[in-house]
Amino acid sequence: MGQMKGKASIEFEHPPVIISAGSVVGKKEGEGPLGSLFDEIELDDMFGMDNWEQAESTMQKKTADLVIEKGGIRKGDLRYLFAGDLLGQLIATSFGTVDLEIPLFGLYGACSTMGEALGLGAMAVNAGYADQVMSMASSHFATAEKQFRFPLAYGNQRPPSATWTVTGCGAVVLAGNRKDGMARIAGITTGRMVDMGAKDSMNMGAAMAPAAFHTIEQNLEDFQVNETWYDKIITGDLGEVGRTILLEFMKNKGRDLSQLHMDCGMEIYDKEQQDTHAGGSGCGCSAVTLCSYILPKVQDGTWKRVLFVPTGALLSSVSFNEGQSIPGIAHAVVIEHIDS
């Protein structure tokens, strides 16, 4: 009972340690500002497969194998796999991870899935239900466009508020009873759905910003700290539009996040050179940015404590076509430097 904090948070008694992290991305992501930090850049967005969905599955398998190898472990050492993607029935995950033969919790939190996977994985390790688990999330530009928007050949114009779905997969291995590693997960705040009535699928930032605001506020309230407790507060893929809304919401609460806040969707692409409009999005956006950019900065002590807040828009092709609004959700993970 003592580990529960406030209404929606947990402060782990035995903080799980991230012992390895891996990222695999597509060509466009490799050409962006973080390109030199990714483990693998695949120049063929089809990943040698016959269709886009198989390509994303192959990307997941590559990433899982990579993070296992980097951690110096065997796949048989992993008790559970917490993973998900953006596709209906999680087909990228189910087909991509079947050969791993690891017990699977398939997750859907839209673009917040990496936060959900980290939170559930950390809970399992902290509670003693698993020694080691993997948390993973992926997205692919072509599979997402095909499912949620238009066929790629349609060539529709994208408004300035639109984001570009990241082709990428990120994964980490969490372990208990370790004093070494890249970073530790000190706690989590599980977000709730927030629906402000947004209906524009080309403006995901506006749909997700209220949920990010709610989860960040809940985290600060539950842990009884203010925003300066963190070196960085990092959202998943709000992009320029969502960031503006979030900062305004926080300002109205008397909090200045202008210097503390970072958004993965705004880090992964060069807006001027890559024509990605408001930034990047997708499950893979926050996942690969975490694994390639955020965790190394926590590991080397540049950032002692960050709040990682992947954000998701909970729409489907069915709900959108029926004219329903787009609820948002955000899950927060407290990631800390491990003192030697």
Side-chain angles (χ1 to χ4, degrees), residues 4-236:
M4 294 191 296
K5 302 286 286 186
K7 293 181 178 180
S9 301
I10 300 172
E11 184 175 26
F12 293 124
E13 181 179 356
H14 307 290
V17 172
I18 298 172
I19 62 172
S20 67
S23 56
V24 176
V25 300
K27 181 175 182 291
K28 190 179 187 75
E29 292 69 29
E31 294 170 344
L34 305 183
S36 64
L37 304 179
F38 300 125
D39 290 302
E40 291 188 19
I41 300 170
E42 178 58 59
L43 300 182
D44 173 17
D45 283 344
M46 291 292 288
F47 285 78
M49 306 306 292
D50 295 330
N51 59 60
W52 300 118
E53 290 73 22
Q54 289 177 344
E56 187 171 349
S57 292
T58 299
M59 180 171 58
Q60 278 211 10
K61 180 63 164 55
K62 276 178 169 283
T63 308
D65 288 341
L66 172 67
V67 76
I68 288 170
E69 180 182 353
K70 289 179 69 175
I73 60 176
R74 300 170 301 146
K75 63 182 181 181
D77 296 330
L78 294 170
R79 180 80 171 183
Y80 299 121
L81 169 63
F82 298 85
D85 57 80
L86 292 176
L87 304 184
Q89 289 75 51
L90 301 179
I91 57 172
T93 299
S94 56
F95 288 102
T97 64
V98 61
D99 292 337
L100 295 174
E101 299 179 339
I102 303 170
L104 169 68
F105 289 96
L107 308 177
Y108 184 80
C111 302
S112 73
T113 298
M114 192 61 180
E116 184 179 5
L118 284 170
L120 290 170
M123 288 170 67
V125 172
N126 170 73
Y129 301 140
D131 293 325
Q132 295 182 131
V133 303
M134 182 185 296
S135 298
M136 179 169 64
S138 73
S139 57
H140 192 296
F141 173 78
T143 62
E145 290 294 306
K146 177 180 174 181
Q147 175 166 296
F148 289 103
R149 297 187 180 95
F150 301 99
L152 294 183
Y154 182 71
N156 61 298
Q157 286 188 305
R158 300 162 58 84
S161 61
T163 50
W164 190 278
T165 304
V166 167
T167 297
C169 180
V172 302
V173 171
L174 303 174
N177 301 315
R178 295 279 294 263
K179 295 183 179 180
D180 62 324
M182 300 183 71
R184 68 175 191 168
I185 297 182
I188 62 170
T189 300
T190 303
R192 65 172 175 84
M193 290 183 291
V194 179
D195 189 349
M196 299 291 285
K199 291 188 175 183
D200 185 357
S201 68
M202 289 291 184
N203 190 353
M204 294 291 93
M208 296 185 292
F213 165 73
H214 180 273
T215 299
I216 293 168
E217 276 295 305
Q218 191 69 62
N219 174 269
L220 300 178
E221 178 184 321
D222 287 353
F223 283 90
Q224 298 184 351
V225 297
N226 64 33
E227 63 272 21
T228 61
W229 196 53
Y230 297 105
D231 294 315
K232 284 288 180 182
I233 294 177
I234 305 168
T235 50

Side-chain angles (χ1 to χ4, degrees), residues 215-271:
T215 299
I216 293 168
E217 276 295 305
Q218 191 69 62
N219 174 269
L220 300 178
E221 178 184 321
D222 287 353
F223 283 90
Q224 298 184 351
V225 297
N226 64 33
E227 63 272 21
T228 61
W229 196 53
Y230 297 105
D231 294 315
K232 284 288 180 182
I233 294 177
I234 305 168
T235 50
D237 57 344
L238 295 182
E240 290 186 354
V241 176
R243 170 183 160 83
T244 300
I245 296 171
L246 173 64
L247 294 185
E248 187 65 25
F249 280 177
M250 300 303 295
K251 182 179 178 181
N252 290 340
K253 290 286 290 188
R255 303 188 192 279
D256 182 6
L257 260 62
S258 58
Q259 300 302 312
L260 287 174
H261 179 254
M262 184 186 99
D263 184 71
C264 298
M266 295 175 64
E267 297 294 320
I268 197 165
Y269 296 125
D270 184 323
K271 176 185 175 181

